[in-house]
Amino acid sequence: MSVCLLQMLKTLTKCRPLASTPQLTPTNTMQSTKQAMVMPGSPFRVKVSPGQVRAEKCTAKIMGFGTFKAGDDWRADITARDELENVRRDPDDIFTVTVKHLDTASGVLEQVPSIFLASNGTHRASVSVKISGTYKVWIRIKGSLISGFPVTFDVIPGEIYVPHCLEDNGEINSAVEAGTDVQVVVALMDKFHNAVINGPGADQRSGNMTD
């Protein structure tokens, strides 16, 4: 019996399990994770471009606020945006600026396209205003108004321009006696022929002709 028992023990020693579960060491675990996450050719870059321009998302910053003087340039820097308000920097986005003088019956004063500024990717709207009064401005792209427009602003006369000031008096060139009062009406004008009504000396004055 002892011989049989010894043979059985030898047989059991040679036996191996049919299947074994591999033991995961920390090194094996890390390698398995990397193989599951990294794809061939990655990492890689994806460039997402802005969508189509949307007028209602575009914004404009007016350069200077309040009242302008005749001869000043009314300017606004326009930022083009898509539906999700991503900024577009495309020179093909053309904005149309329409300016109307509300105090005259001439209708639209000027209609000009915007200028693309490559330095910062914005668009510049610029209009020279020379007639005093109230103006209204529309900025459109593809026929639609951008956000915040139309707007109005006022233009006042510029500085008195002496060559454009007129003297109107029927007897000013007539011979008068010394000591006679003569009234001289002076129309004070600026460089663009706007009447200056609030400037220094912009009123009617009468004086004594002593010489």
Side-chain angles (χ1 to χ4, degrees):
M1 292 182 61
S2 59
V3 176
C4 293
L5 179 60
L6 182 61
Q7 290 178 348
M8 290 178 61
L9 289 175
K10 290 182 179 180
T11 303
L12 290 174
T13 304
K14 296 180 180 180
C15 292
R16 295 181 179 181
L18 296 177
S20 62
T21 303
Q23 299 297 318
L24 295 179
T25 64
T27 303
N28 291 336
T29 303
M30 186 179 299
Q31 291 177 350
S32 300
T33 304
K34 288 183 178 180
Q35 291 176 357
M37 296 180 62
V38 179
M39 298 175 57
S42 64
F44 48 86
R45 295 182 180 180
V46 177
K47 182 178 180 180
V48 180
S49 301
Q52 297 296 316
V53 64
R54 294 297 298 266
E56 67 274 15
K57 300 295 183 178
C58 299
T59 56
K61 180 181 179 181
I62 300 175
M63 312 301 289
F65 293 93
T67 303
F68 296 80
K69 284 187 177 182
D72 289 346
D73 287 338
W74 182 93
R75 296 183 303 166
D77 283 351
I78 310 166
T79 301
R81 301 177 186 274
D82 66 7
E83 176 66 26
L84 300 178
E85 299 187 1
N86 295 302
V87 176
R88 290 173 52 88
R89 294 178 174 86
D90 190 343
D92 292 333
D93 291 336
I94 305 297
F95 295 84
T96 302
V97 186
T98 304
V99 183
K100 183 178 181 180
H101 191 281
L102 299 181
D103 301 328
T104 61
S106 59
V108 175
L109 176 69
E110 196 166 5
Q111 191 170 31
V112 296
S114 61
I115 300 174
F116 180 70
L117 303 179
S119 58
N120 57 14
T122 62
H123 303 259
R124 171 67 55 83
S126 180
V127 178
S128 180
V129 288
K130 299 179 181 179
I131 304 174
S132 59
T134 301
Y135 289 79
K136 194 170 187 177
V137 181
W138 295 260
I139 297 182
R140 296 182 174 91
I141 184 167
K142 297 181 179 180
S144 299
L145 282 170
I146 72 169
S147 175
F149 282 80
V151 297
T152 58
F153 65 94
D154 294 320
V155 175
I156 63 175
E159 302 296 330
I160 295 173
Y161 187 64
V162 175
H164 289 171
C165 297
L166 307 175
E167 295 183 355
D168 183 14
N169 189 285
E171 299 179 354
I172 191 65
N173 294 322
S174 302
V176 294
E177 296 181 359
T180 302
D181 288 339
V182 177
Q183 187 179 48
V184 178
V185 179
V186 179
L188 300 178
M189 313 289 284
D190 67 7
K191 192 174 182 179
F192 304 98
H193 296 279
N194 297 298
V196 181
I197 59 176
N198 294 320
D203 56 2
Q204 295 184 6
R205 299 177 182 269
S206 59
N208 186 275
M209 302 293 289
T210 58
D211 297 322

